Amino acid sequence: MNKLITVLACTLTFASVGLGQTTGEPLVIDSQSGKPVAKVHVSIYGPVAKKMLLGQDARSVLALLPKGRYTLTFSAEGYETKQIELVKQENEASGLKQLKLVALREGGNGRYDDLIVSEEDGNEAAGMQDRVTLLTSSRDPFLSASGYVFSTARFRNRGYDSQYNEQMLNGIGMNDLNSGYSAWSLWGGLNDVTRQQQTSQSFEPIVSGFGAVGVTNNVTTRPSMFGAQHRLTYSNSNRTYSNRFAYTYASGERKDGWSFAASVARRIGNGQYSYVRGQYYDAWSYFLGVEKKLDEMNSLSLIALGAPTRRGVASATTQEVYDLVGSNFYNPNIGRQGGKWRNARERRNHEPIVQLSHYFSNLEKTLNINTTFSYRFGKNAYSSLNWYNAPDPRADYYRYLPSYFTRMADPNSQDGDAAAIYEELWKSDPNVRYINWDRLYEVNRGNLTTVKDASGRTLATGRKALYMIEDRHTDQREFAWATSANWLPKSWLEITGGANFRHNRTANYAEVGDLLGADFVYDIDKFAERDFGGDATKSQVDLLHPDRIVQKGDRFSYDYTAQSYRYQMWANATYHLTRLDAYTGISYTHTGMQREGHQKRGLFPDNSYGLSDRVKFNDLGVKAGATYKLNGHHYLQSNVAYLEQAPTFQNLFISPRTRDSYIEDPKSEKIFSAEASYLVRLPWLRGRVTAFYTHIADHTRSMSFYDDSRASFSNYIITGIATRHLGAEAGFEVKISPTLTANAALALGQYQYANNPSYIQSIDNSNEIVDRDRIYWKGLNVSGTPQTAATLGLTYYSPWYANFGINANYFGRNFVSMSPVIRTDRGRTSLDYNYILPEQLRDGFTVDLFASYSWRITYGTYLRFNLSVSNVLNNRSLPNGGYEQLRIRTIRATDGTQQLYRPFDTKLSYVYGTTFFFNTTLQF
């Protein structure tokens, strides 16, 4: 066998030089130009395992392979990797059809391709490469672990919120302009057509944009990039949905220049088999794409996609409630109605996206220009219980818990007997543990009322709703445009740049969802009616349409439009030298925001209707980085950046449901970030170690809550927040043997507040500022992610095209989200000191298993099976998040004033116990 491998190696080596001159049809060609691809690497796995460099025609070389079943992986710089299976009979030619490699449009010269080095290459030979070629993308071992293995604990890279990452679809920014958060749900279920992604971290150059301080990801859905195929998929799970069906078709690029792609998926589950009761799921997903190659340099594509979804939502609650029901997966949003479970919290959304793209690439492939126009529209609604002049219908309301009569009660009026009675009711009566829907209908049907206006005129007679379901809408209409260019004027110089524009109008309003047996709702401001009962105009939601009687489907309560626009210009220059890659970049971003009110509120007649001031921000960004090649296997890399980023609409405007007030002296955030990495690329080892530091200043946060001490709905506007993100991350993949691979990843961070920000507290119904001071957060931990996360795994790749794996994971140092009220002078004076430090969540371990098998039925037809089992040890006591409630229990002091007494208990959520996901795919 050794002699055979030696002969084959020599043959392949000479073939790389000589076979390019053969007269036969080339084996590997460019999918767009049809020209042969030079310097193609092939990885052969089977009876002979080897990595070699092939010439432009390799059929005669592959014909020398002995009998057996092989997996062949073809890769070339600047192209996507392609993997095929080959069954070779004795003395038989390879029988391979012509292979088309797809150029990496988003990767320019293949900066993000793997560096493939044959086993014979020493350091000196590898060092002769004329360009540093590294991978810091979705195939990076650490990013792969953080995106999948760590996701069960809601891990966030480097402690960044979603708004510090950038998500794009065909070069169009998709982060919500109102909140800054990513919008993956817009194409949920379309796995088959969203696999083409380019990812970078910490401002590393990416062709489609300037980048973000966190992870930048661009999903490409260009029809010509999909290989010709049919794909049928079925999935089964006990997580959120039970069943998934999907079909995908792609024509590939036809001879007439047309390319077609389509995908449809269905995800469904009635909640009976989901891990948390009430989490039903009913979703469709669709994708349609067509592309026409106009000539050798121009192509035009049109795509449309959407994911209409209806799903039940679970909410966090306190540990006391979990203990009362005996489960950390209790859902307080549900109750039985007519013998079936009903969820009060339901999310319904369908926001289609239509995009028209033009692709230009000159014949020399030295200039690529992509331009995309995008339009997003549709509806997004979130339902919730609403009530007025009636008891709180939520089962986990604090007055219905045993602790209300002990911990939360006045020290002078604690009632242990009442607490014992309620504890027994929680354990024995489902109408106490869950929402009593029948009772809500009964109350509404019995509330026969005649509603009159201030003059005594009758407005309506019938069953007035005391309880109802309202749908809170955020319906977006967004037009966007983006152009990016990649130019190679010299072999050592790569220039990318572009411009983009987004204009968003989001309709924010409440709609009557379900009257629960009532006939109508009287649309007035219930808090204003309580506080200004003697002045009927104050309680009017809209003075232009006073005393409205609304029914199912009508808008009520609030109605305004959030208008945001943003345009950006950016440029990167990358310098490719023998041992050094370096880049510099600059960007300019202009952002504007404005509120348009559609109601003239009785409380705020002068600043609630019509257009507000337009608040504008002009932001700069600069970045630089370098990668130094010690040799062909070891690299040093550094990145540094300074970025200004405008606040989002929801953090700029104080109470947009009622008025157009915004924060005083609004500022853009200032972000400084630096990192240094060591990377290794050996045939048996690849990975990196990175140390990073990020400082974010002038962040703004707005939050609303009910202030018990003032008996009013209140707003906290926190400005000047600074956070520090310091840590290290490492990820490695080790090939122990041809069939056994180990992987490991570690994230170790210290994410803390770096200052004591300022706050203003205002009362919602008067806009009166009642408090102004500092919040003592400096040195306290940022919440929302484990600051220590680690995984260690093994994967066995069998010769019969199956693999089996196990990962052991650890999560620690996760902290709950802090309430600012507790850490003000007022809170620190009144409350016990043990409330000052944020609660640290319990650390814990999980173990995951996975297996897959690929069966080749005939040439080009494959049946694949995948099974993953998460948390096989069934650890049900590992929290993955929590937050302190903003409300604080008050008691009356001896002088008659209300005094802060005790914060409400923290609300927690937990990592699921053992869950599974089974997937089978037929590809032909």
Side-chain angles (χ1 to χ4, degrees), residues 401-456:
L401 301 177
S403 61
Y404 172 69
F405 303 96
T406 53
R407 299 198 307 269
M408 302 298 288
D410 188 302
N412 299 318
S413 60
Q414 294 187 355
D415 189 344
D417 292 337
I421 292 172
Y422 267 82
E423 183 174 353
E424 179 59 31
L425 287 172
W426 263 90
K427 294 178 178 179
S428 61
D429 188 352
N431 286 327
V432 173
R433 290 196 301 272
Y434 299 105
I435 296 172
N436 190 345
W437 289 104
D438 292 338
R439 176 60 180 164
L440 304 187
Y441 275 84
E442 180 183 337
V443 170
N444 275 349
R445 286 167 178 160
N447 189 41
L448 294 171
T449 307
T450 297
V451 178
K452 298 183 178 181
D453 63 12
S455 65

Side-chain angles (χ1 to χ4, degrees), residues 836-847:
I836 301 301
L837 294 178
E839 179 184 350
Q840 181 174 338
L841 300 174
R842 184 185 298 110
D843 300 351
F845 289 90
T846 64
V847 176

Side-chain angles (χ1 to χ4, degrees), residues 454-470:
S455 65
R457 179 172 62 92
T458 298
L459 300 174
T461 298
R463 292 169 293 191
K464 176 186 173 184
L466 298 178
Y467 297 102
M468 61 170 293
I469 295 288
E470 68 173 34

Side-chain angles (χ1 to χ4, degrees), residues 222-241:
R222 185 175 177 181
S224 64
M225 294 182 69
F226 304 132
Q229 64 174 300
H230 296 267
R231 183 189 291 260
L232 289 168
T233 302
Y234 169 72
S235 308
N236 184 258
S237 174
N238 69 335
R239 296 173 185 173
T240 51
Y241 57 82

Side-chain angles (χ1 to χ4, degrees), residues 624-646:
T627 299
Y628 179 72
K629 180 170 59 174
L630 299 173
N631 53 46
H633 302 297
H634 304 278
Y635 305 81
L636 297 177
Q637 188 180 72
S638 63
N639 297 289
V640 62
Y642 170 79
L643 180 70
E644 296 171 345
Q645 184 169 302

Side-chain angles (χ1 to χ4, degrees), residues 182-202:
S182 299
W184 280 92
S185 62
L186 294 175
W187 51 85
L190 295 173
N191 307 53
D192 293 343
V193 293
T194 57
R195 298 181 190 276
Q196 305 279 358
Q197 299 180 24
Q198 187 196 8
T199 303
S200 73
Q201 186 168 348
S202 299

